Amino acid sequence: MKHTTPLALLTAGLLATTPALAADEELRQEIDTLKQENRTIMERLNATSEMIDRQQSSAGLGPLSIGGYGELHYNNLDNQLAGGDDKEMMDFHRFVLFFGYEYTDDIRFFSELEVEHAYSGESKPGAVELEQAYVEFDLNDRNSAKGGLFLLPVGILNETHEPPTFYGVERNPVEKNIIPTTWWTSGAELTGRFGQGFSYNLGVHEGLKVDPSGSMAVRGGRQKSAKADASDLATTARLKYTGIPGLELAATVQHQSDMSQDASDDLGSANLIEAHAIYNTGAFGLRALYATWDLDGTAPAANGADEQTGWYIEPSYKLTNKFGVFARHNVWDNQAGSSTNTEYSQTDVGFNYWPHEDVVIKVDLQDQDVPAGSSEYDGFNVGIGYQF
Amino acid sequence: MKRFKHDILIALTLLFSPLVTAEVYQSPEAFLEQTFNTDVPEPKVLWISGAVRTRAEQILQHRPDTLRTRYWQQGNRTAWILEEIGKERPITVGIVINDKSIETIKVLVFRESRGWEVKYPFFTNQFKQAELNADLELNKSIDGITGATLSVRALTKLSRLALYFHQHVTRTP
């Protein structure tokens, strides 16, 4: 009988475990290799992601910004005046493009080019209009100055009138006829803010040029910076408070040194006072605005145009994030100084539906009450609008 | 007439006054140090892909323009530094989420020329304690600022995004 020595047993044991140890070692090496490869892959993935993110962030237009808005209107309005023409119209009312360019953090250019009523040209209904083109300079972190062609800081809609931002297919008649929006001029303006929620605007710019032999309604006096007569300039100042969420209180005063740009006629200086309040809390919204003109001279006093006044109030309620209803009562009179009834009023009710936050479909009904012998348009409007 | 020429001269003089830099209210580093009492944890990375990307797009109403975002986590508290364009330029916002609700939201860098009111506590305080509901909307109403709609919208979207990201990384429903 052969005896097995301890050495032999140890040798046999070692020989038996060698393959297992080798396999373990091989597995460890493989895991280390995989870990290293995984680290390399993650490093490369992160590097790739960083590069893609950088490319995406610079894939835009850099300092150039482009935006725009537009709105198509369908008006179905019956003229209650005997023999008067109805308004049954499909009109691409506005097509607007914004172009902005940021030269530095403190100097920027902004412009707005508009095609109104789709088709412009001689004897055509449309127009091509430059509504903004100014350079703005930050003077410090709270004040800036702009020079060029800009929208005047007056009323609610004059500066902010992208279709998804307001109720009603057509812009309200008070701001249209009394302020008169959309109202742009050329000149210079200081803007700034102070306290918690106060801001101011102070500008010097071209004035209105109203024909003293006509109705002298202020809307007809806009010169639109088209070789504008700058014999007599105007100044505008606004104070605004937005220090409570949902609330805006603002007042604008403007002085026109000569409404006709001609010192030799019977139309002199004029002053505009406008004030408005906006309050939105939860689903409820309220807008209210009052504006009045005081024109000097015997010519406006003769036909009542020495006082031109309007106001409106507009409650609204958003039933959902995408659907809101509103009602608005508007009163305006471009001959409020007259002893006869020259006052217009219009009541609107309707809804906005936003399928996307920047796209809106609007429907409203309107009912007018007008002076005797004037066209009175009652009916409904449908619109689709967008901004980007 | 002379008076108006004088006004123009004053305005033009101001136009060319010395200029200063844009508004950085707080650096991201300072925001994080303030949030974590100088003991800022190592940043983690959330990849915005798959279902996360789908939800982010639903919240932003456009495709997210980044593949991932960094965040800082200490227990059930996370901090996020996110950007969204208001009208033309990005607004940088710091948001801290603590146990499913917003603890802090702060505008760090504001580059727009309008809508500056969103930086003030009277506006941002409205977001405190807001949570995300099943529709990925805030569970409380945020009153906007007239004339600053796009800035308000940007901050509201980023607050919802941070809440959703927090839910995702902490696995809270």
Side-chain angles (χ1 to χ4, degrees):
Chain A
M1 186 172 173
K2 202 171 184 179
H3 290 283
T4 307
T5 63
L7 182 61
L9 283 171
L10 182 64
T11 304
L14 283 170
L15 286 170
T17 56
T18 297
L21 286 170
D24 280 352
E25 181 59 27
E26 198 176 317
L27 190 62
R28 267 195 297 274
Q29 284 180 357
E30 199 169 335
I31 289 169
D32 287 345
T33 304
L34 286 171
K35 279 182 176 176
Q36 182 56 46
E37 284 178 355
N38 188 53
R39 272 195 294 271
T40 305
I41 288 167
M42 284 308 296
E43 281 171 11
R44 289 175 180 175
L45 187 60
N46 282 326
T48 305
S49 168
E50 277 175 21
M51 189 183 74
I52 291 170
D53 284 348
R54 274 199 307 273
Q55 284 177 343
Q56 286 205 332
S57 65
S58 63
L61 300 166
L64 179 66
S65 58
I66 294 176
Y69 70 88
E71 50 192 329
L72 171 70
H73 298 168
Y74 170 63
N75 310 107
N76 189 313
L77 304 171
D78 294 330
N79 194 338
Q80 306 303 307
L81 178 68
D85 292 334
D86 294 343
K87 271 190 191 173
E88 290 167 338
M89 191 190 304
M90 191 78 77
D91 181 30
F92 204 102
H93 199 138
R94 296 178 179 92
F95 176 84
V96 178
L97 289 174
F98 300 135
F99 294 94
Y101 191 83
E102 199 160 300
Y103 298 101
T104 68
D105 282 348
D106 305 305
I107 304 175
R108 66 194 68 87
F109 165 78
F110 189 75
S111 67
E112 180 181 334
L113 187 66
E114 176 167 332
V115 176
E116 276 208 325
H117 309 298
Y119 187 18
S120 167
E122 195 175 341
S123 75
K124 299 297 183 290
V128 177
E129 295 174 330
L130 185 64
E131 292 202 355
Q132 296 187 74
Y134 63 83
V135 179
E136 185 172 50
F137 307 82
D138 290 342
L139 305 175
N140 50 48
D141 63 356
R142 286 182 160 246
N143 297 278
S144 61
K146 65 175 73 160
L149 186 155
F150 51 85
L151 297 167
L152 287 175
V154 56
I156 295 173
L157 292 185
N158 203 52
E159 290 179 293
T160 306
H161 45 237
E162 291 82 353
T165 66
F166 65 92
Y167 282 100
V169 174
E170 301 288 351
R171 296 175 186 176
N172 72 77
V174 175
E175 293 193 71
K176 176 183 172 182
N177 291 295
I178 302 298
I179 281 184
T181 193
T182 306
W183 189 9
W184 65 89
T185 63
S186 288
E189 185 182 277
L190 289 171
T191 63
R193 54 187 190 266
F194 58 95
Q196 288 228 350
F198 286 96
S199 61
Y200 74 90
N201 301 68
L202 180 62
V204 182
H205 50 84
E206 84 199 35
L208 294 168
K209 188 173 184 177
V210 171
D211 181 0
S213 64
S215 71
M216 284 171 283
V218 289
R219 186 171 179 80
R222 296 175 304 165
Q223 298 196 74
K224 303 191 176 185
S225 298
K227 293 187 175 180
D229 188 337
S231 306
D232 296 284
L233 299 178
T235 51
T236 299
R238 177 177 67 181
L239 182 64
K240 185 165 76 168
Y241 176 69
T242 48
I244 295 171
L247 179 70
E248 175 178 314
L249 300 172
T252 294
V253 293
Q254 183 184 96
H255 177 72
Q256 296 272 340
S257 49
D258 193 313
M259 281 287 271
S260 63
Q261 305 293 316
D262 183 352
S264 65
D265 59 26
D266 296 326
L267 177 57
S269 63
N271 293 299
L272 165 68
I273 297 172
E274 179 273 332
H276 66 256
I278 302 171
Y279 187 55
N280 294 293
T281 179
F284 177 74
L286 182 69
R287 291 182 171 198
L289 177 143
Y290 172 80
T292 186
W293 281 93
D294 178 20
L295 279 65
D296 291 332
T298 55
N303 79 340
D306 55 329
E307 186 187 336
Q308 302 186 38
T309 298
W311 62 270
Y312 71 85
I313 186 163
E314 178 194 284
S316 61
Y317 192 82
K318 288 188 85 170
L319 298 165
T320 71
N321 275 345
K322 292 179 178 290
F323 189 85
V325 295
F326 82 103
R328 185 173 58 233
H329 185 64
N330 318 262
V331 175
W332 72 102
D333 190 344
N334 288 100
Q335 293 175 291
S338 166
S339 56
T340 58
N341 176 28
T342 51
E343 184 180 274
Y344 288 75
S345 70
Q346 178 178 312
T347 302
D348 308 277
V349 292
F351 68 83
N352 280 13
Y353 169 62
W354 292 271
H356 180 278
E357 60 192 9
D358 290 325
V359 176
V360 66
I361 294 166
K362 303 178 176 186
V363 176
D364 64 64
L365 305 173
Q366 74 172 55
D367 180 65
Q368 289 191 339
D369 186 11
V370 305
S374 302
S375 288
E376 178 178 330
Y377 294 107
D378 298 340
F380 70 93
N381 306 288
V382 181
I384 183 166
Y386 63 88
Q387 64 178 358
F388 60 88
Chain B
M1 186 60 210
K2 281 182 182 174
R3 185 175 71 250
F4 293 112
K5 284 181 178 171
H6 178 68
D7 290 343
I8 286 178
L9 279 174
I10 291 171
L12 289 174
T13 304
L14 284 166
L15 282 177
F16 297 103
S17 298
L19 304 176
V20 300
T21 55
E23 290 180 271
V24 180
Y25 305 124
Q26 188 175 33
S27 70
E29 296 77 14
F31 171 75
L32 291 169
E33 284 180 6
Q34 188 180 57
T35 299
F36 296 106
N37 293 319
T38 70
D39 185 22
V40 181
E42 283 297 306
K44 296 180 178 181
V45 171
L46 170 66
W47 286 86
I48 303 168
S49 57
V52 175
R53 195 166 191 82
T54 304
R55 296 280 185 277
E57 187 170 339
Q58 182 183 337
I59 289 167
L60 293 170
Q61 297 268 291
H62 63 78
R63 284 190 296 276
D65 57 3
T66 183
L67 291 171
R68 51 193 200 140
T69 187
R70 284 189 174 82
Y71 67 98
W72 293 259
Q73 183 171 7
Q74 212 170 56
N76 207 25
R77 196 162 168 257
T78 58
W80 306 82
I81 293 171
L82 304 170
E83 281 192 348
E84 175 70 351
I85 289 174
K87 184 173 173 65
E88 297 164 356
R89 315 302 296 169
I91 303 168
T92 307
V93 181
I95 304 169
V96 181
I97 313 293
N98 192 350
D99 193 25
K100 295 198 298 185
S101 69
I102 292 175
E103 177 185 302
T104 307
I105 179 166
K106 188 167 188 179
V107 175
L108 304 180
V109 186
F110 191 80
R111 304 171 181 87
E112 302 274 13
S113 56
R114 294 174 68 183
W116 44 269
E117 294 96 332
V118 296
K119 76 169 186 176
Y120 286 116
F122 72 72
F123 176 72
T124 55
N125 283 346
Q126 296 181 94
F127 289 89
K128 286 186 176 177
Q129 303 308 313
E131 296 183 15
L132 210 56
N133 65 22
D135 297 327
L136 300 178
E137 297 284 350
L138 297 179
N139 67 344
K140 61 191 291 192
S141 174
I142 303 297
D143 289 331
I145 294 164
T146 308
T149 309
L150 297 176
S151 298
V152 169
R153 193 192 285 177
L155 257 70
T156 306
K157 284 177 180 176
L158 291 181
S159 68
R160 293 165 58 206
L161 197 62
L163 283 164
Y164 169 68
F165 285 167
H166 175 91
Q167 275 184 7
H168 183 79
V169 301
T170 59
R171 302 286 189 273
T172 51

